[in-house]
Amino acid sequence: MEYQVVIPAAGQGKRMKAGKNKLLLELNSCPVIIHTLRVFDHDPYCKGIYLAIHPGDREAFQRLIKRFNIQKVVKLVEGGEERQHSVYNALLEVSHEIVLVHDGARPFIKSTTIHHLVEEAKSSGAAIAAVPVKDTIKKVIDGAVEQTIERSSLWMVQTPQAFRVSLLRRAHSEAAEGGFLGTDDASLVERMNFGVSVVESDYDNIKLTTPEDLYFAEAIVKKQEEMSGG
Ligand code: CTP
Ligand code: MG
């Protein structure tokens, strides 16, 4: 059940329009990145966190890790131009057989989902968290509907994504060689024709992307506090 986790946190959060890395914004007096790190810090099966950061954020992250007493960050790795490069740089450092990749911008990941993913990756090699799509999705070209895609087979893909580390390293180096840039890690494995398992996650595991996501995040934090009796 043990694993290590790569957390890409080296973005600039342009769509959040906060004028700084969105992971440094606070939710309930605690920066987003700390919410995310705590889930793994408190998980006994997590044996190390590799955090990919932008060089300009290094001091800010170091200070927060100290202030909030996060124990398991093994290394702050320099991120790259795109998320894929940030993950690859951190992946080179991982020393465990099973690796999870989890966006710093998804602070509400549950440990039960993490554990399902680790188990699945151990048996099959690759597993991703996802939820069924609720809306009807249409393919639109130049303002006109091209196609309505059958909803029952559509899933919204999240992180964590869990892999045997040897497989994900190979997928990343083949993608780099082929000049392929994916928006998630599983897509790099898929292009090797390797099967990827899906683990059903939940709708709280949102990615903070645009300003309105902060309202949803506040509501989720409040719900979690009520549930934990805080
Ligand atoms: N990320 C990264 N390195 C990059 C770009 C993104 O490590 N070069 C990280 C982000 O910090 C985030 C995760 O990948 O935790 C998902 O990316 P996204 O939500 O797109 O965040 P940003 O790239 O920061 O936001 P934007 O695209 O709006 O600028
Ligand atoms: Mg981005």
Side-chain angles (χ1 to χ4, degrees):
M1 187 67 112
E2 294 177 357
Y3 65 91
Q4 291 183 325
V5 61
V6 164
I7 300 186
Q12 296 181 45
K14 285 187 188 145
R15 286 169 289 174
M16 188 58 78
K17 300 190 175 85
K20 62 174 175 183
N21 189 341
K22 63 191 177 185
L23 303 182
L24 299 172
L25 297 176
E26 293 195 349
L27 283 175
N28 199 17
S29 316
C30 177
V32 170
I33 189 62
I34 296 299
H35 285 277
T36 307
L37 288 172
R38 269 185 181 153
V39 177
F40 295 99
D41 216 45
H42 293 165
D43 180 6
Y45 297 111
C46 177
K47 297 298 171 190
I49 301 168
Y50 296 87
L51 194 59
I53 56 149
H54 189 276
D57 288 336
R58 179 173 286 272
E59 279 178 19
F61 277 99
Q62 275 172 337
R63 224 176 309 123
L64 289 174
I65 287 166
K66 217 170 162 186
R67 181 168 142 223
F68 288 93
N69 198 23
I70 302 295
Q71 301 288 321
K72 292 186 188 166
V73 176
V74 181
K75 194 165 181 181
L76 299 180
V77 182
E78 193 157 318
E81 191 67 34
E82 300 291 340
R83 180 188 180 280
Q84 186 174 315
H85 306 131
S86 298
V87 172
Y88 193 32
N89 290 350
L91 206 52
L92 297 174
E93 307 282 345
V94 169
S95 59
H96 206 277
E97 183 201 342
I98 298 293
V99 63
L100 256 69
V101 181
H102 183 64
D103 289 328
R106 287 188 196 268
F108 304 118
I109 180 59
K110 293 187 174 64
S111 52
T112 48
T113 304
I114 293 172
H115 298 157
H116 285 152
L117 286 161
V118 172
E119 271 176 11
E120 190 56 42
K122 243 187 126 82
S123 61
S124 77
I128 60 177
V131 287
V133 164
K134 297 188 212 178
D135 294 330
T136 296
I137 308 279
K138 293 181 194 278
K139 183 174 178 186
V140 175
I141 293 177
D142 294 333
V145 172
E146 165 112 345
Q147 189 194 354
T148 300
I149 304 167
E150 168 63 30
R151 188 175 59 200
S152 60
S153 65
L154 292 178
W155 288 64
M156 291 194 292
V157 169
Q158 308 172 336
T159 67
Q161 302 192 339
F163 307 91
R164 278 192 212 117
V165 71
S166 54
L167 172 68
L168 189 60
R169 280 204 189 114
R170 203 172 104 216
H172 267 267
S173 63
E174 286 187 13
E177 275 167 32
F180 178 84
L181 208 54
T183 52
D184 74 341
D185 296 282
S187 61
L188 312 188
V189 168
E190 289 155 30
R191 67 190 283 282
M192 296 166 63
N193 290 321
F194 193 96
V196 175
S197 307
V198 174
V199 167
E200 186 159 0
S201 174
D202 62 84
Y203 293 101
D204 280 357
N205 184 27
I206 60 169
K207 180 160 73 74
L208 304 187
T209 307
T210 54
E212 59 273 17
D213 292 330
L214 295 174
Y215 296 118
F216 300 131
E218 294 287 354
I220 295 167
V221 168
K222 200 164 159 237
K223 181 180 83 172
Q224 288 182 343
E225 273 181 354
E226 283 165 8
M227 282 171 62
S228 68

